[in-house]
Amino acid sequence: MQSNVPPFSELLANTRSSAVHLEMRDDYGANPRLEAWRRGERVDWADRDSWWHDFNQTIADAVARGVVVRRARVVSEPVSEYIRWEYDTTQGNVASGEDVRWLPRSQARGFLVPANDFWLFDGKLLRIHHFAGDGSHVTDELSTDAQMLNLCGSAFETIWQRAIPHSEYKI
């Protein structure tokens, strides 16, 4: 399935005040960095050049412009191998300027959430992610539908209020 959605870097470059990301899957498929982690390779956080990627710079540039970037992850416990890897590498997100929180799925009750992960830019543009059953990314779509913006924004804020800051969450 082809997507005509602009790259994330372009969407974030046009963001003025806030970008929030909700992640709710326990596995997002294989990738080379996950495979290296499985082999026992760990990030050398003292060697920034070895782990600082274009994504990190995109986030850092947005934060430097005054954009608040927040990421909330709803996770099953005990966490999956993928989430353990993500947890280990979240230091890079934080170093880039993201504020990251974790919400155990067992505490995500009493409210409704969208069925898809998403980014919400300035509360005005929604980038919805679609994944296959194995966790691999299929496509993204954009929406400016007011009802969807409100639903996703409200769901994110509810999760954010309940979630545990990365520095305090332990797996």
Side-chain angles (χ1 to χ4, degrees), residues 16-18 61-68:
R16 300 292 161 238
S17 62
S18 69
D61 291 346
V63 170
R65 289 193 326 272
V67 176
V68 175

Side-chain angles (χ1 to χ4, degrees), residues 75-152:
V75 296
S76 299
E77 293 181 321
V79 299
S80 67
E81 179 185 46
Y82 190 99
I83 296 299
R84 282 196 311 275
W85 168 71
E86 233 179 17
Y87 180 85
D88 285 349
T89 59
T90 294
Q91 184 172 335
N93 298 79
V94 173
S96 303
E98 278 191 55
D99 192 356
V100 180
R101 293 188 183 182
W102 304 81
L103 181 64
R105 198 171 308 282
S106 63
Q107 296 176 29
R109 58 184 178 276
F111 60 95
L112 297 176
V113 295
N116 300 85
D117 289 11
F118 63 83
W119 277 95
L120 179 58
F121 302 96
D122 289 332
K124 298 176 182 176
L125 179 64
L126 189 62
R127 181 180 181 178
I128 304 162
H129 302 298
H130 298 281
F131 295 95
D134 66 359
S136 61
H137 180 257
V138 175
T139 192
D140 292 323
E141 71 175 290
L142 295 180
S143 177
T144 56
D145 177 80
Q147 186 175 3
M148 287 181 62
L149 295 172
N150 289 335
L151 171 72
C152 291

Side-chain angles (χ1 to χ4, degrees), residues 37-56:
W37 182 86
R38 284 180 173 150
R39 291 189 303 271
E41 298 173 27
R42 296 299 182 258
V43 175
D44 178 1
W45 295 109
D47 181 11
R48 182 176 173 207
D49 290 338
S50 71
W51 60 267
W52 190 266
H53 302 287
D54 290 343
F55 175 82
N56 302 97

